[in-house]
């Protein structure tokens, strides 16, 4: 475990475009994901009886819809001002 922690610190502790983007986006995504997750899960669970399809659909769908919603919110100045985003 100690080797993995040291390797993770050395390999993953650097700033990249990905980390800069998601550092700025983390709070709005945190706020948006719960509502999107609950609404999406409500409909997916009703549509499919297969557990794998439900889990996969909820995980992938909630990630994609949350990031899309974040980009939409980022483009609307009035919403940005009201929520204090960016």
């Amino acid at each position: 475990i100690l080797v993995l922690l040291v390797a993770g610190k050395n390999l993953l502790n650097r700033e990249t475009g990905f980390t800069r983007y998601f550092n700025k986006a983390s709070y709005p995504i945190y706020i948006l994901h719960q509502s999107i997750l609950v609404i999406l899960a409500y409909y997916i669970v009703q549509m499919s009886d297969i557990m794998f399809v439900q889990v996969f659909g909820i995980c992938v769908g909630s990630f994609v819809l949350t990031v899309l919603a974040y980009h939409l919110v980022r483009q609307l100045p009035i919403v940005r001002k009201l929520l204090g985003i960016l």
Side-chain angles (χ1 to χ4, degrees), residues 15-25:
E15 188 171 324
T16 63
F18 179 82
T19 57
R20 270 185 302 242
Y21 172 79
F22 277 103
N23 279 339
K24 197 182 328 179

Side-chain angles (χ1 to χ4, degrees), residues 13-14 20 22 24 30 34 39-41 50 57 60 69 86:
N13 193 18
R14 56 181 79 153
R20 270 185 302 242
F22 277 103
K24 197 182 328 179
Y30 172 75
Q34 180 67 32
I39 292 167
L40 184 67
I50 303 168
V60 173
L86 302 172

